[in-house]
Amino acid sequence: MSQALHRSLRIARTNRPQSAVRRFLALDAVVTGANGIAYLAASGPLGELLGVDAGLLLELGLFLTAFAAGVAWLASRPQPPALAVKVVVDANILWVVLSIVALVAWLEPTTAGLVWTPMQAATVAGFAGLQWAALRATAR
């Protein structure tokens, strides 16, 4: 077993890769859902804090909440289909790339936004890495 896989399974507190996939999906769903709900409930104040348009945050909140619900449903399956998990991993990677591109290309964030955007992108990248490692372990 590779060291990265071993660490991923230890983080998930299981020796079963399928359980690790489900746990990493569930963690992603909780964090993404909380972020989405925050954007929905407080898009105005968060927009001011981060220097991001409140309308954009509202739309992102809708997307993130729906995405989190789908990921939570997937995590609830006894054996999440590999293709669906790959779609989640790919969506997470896309989110990371778009977050960084938006920060560099068109957002004009406050200092808080300059900290928040890469921090949440790194968190999402971490989810993608953990999910991918656990998914690869299920294939073995």
Side-chain angles (χ1 to χ4, degrees), residues 38-64:
Y39 286 174
L40 286 172
S43 58
L46 286 174
E48 287 181 31
L49 175 69
L50 301 173
V52 177
D53 180 68
L56 174 61
L57 284 184
L58 188 62
E59 291 171 3
L60 289 174
L62 287 169
F63 170 77
L64 291 174

Side-chain angles (χ1 to χ4, degrees), residues 47-52 102-104 106-115 117:
E48 287 181 31
L49 175 69
L50 301 173
V52 177
L103 186 63
V104 171
W106 57 273
L107 289 179
E108 295 178 12
T110 62
T111 301
L114 281 171
V115 171
T117 304

Side-chain angles (χ1 to χ4, degrees), residues 2-73:
S2 75
Q3 284 203 351
L5 173 60
H6 186 66
R7 278 193 303 270
S8 295
L9 293 176
R10 268 191 311 180
I11 291 169
R13 297 177 188 230
T14 183
N15 289 326
R16 298 182 321 216
Q18 196 64 47
S19 292
V21 169
R22 293 178 65 219
R23 289 180 185 180
F24 294 141
L25 289 169
L27 179 61
D28 187 352
V30 168
V31 172
T32 301
N35 198 27
I37 290 168
Y39 286 174
L40 286 172
S43 58
L46 286 174
E48 287 181 31
L49 175 69
L50 301 173
V52 177
D53 180 68
L56 174 61
L57 284 184
L58 188 62
E59 291 171 3
L60 289 174
L62 287 169
F63 170 77
L64 291 174
T65 303
F67 182 77
V71 174
W73 178 84

Side-chain angles (χ1 to χ4, degrees), residues 115-139:
V115 171
W116 174 253
T117 304
M119 186 176 71
Q120 61 81 29
T123 301
V124 174
F127 290 149
L130 290 169
Q131 291 159 352
W132 182 251
L135 183 62
R136 287 189 50 184
T138 64

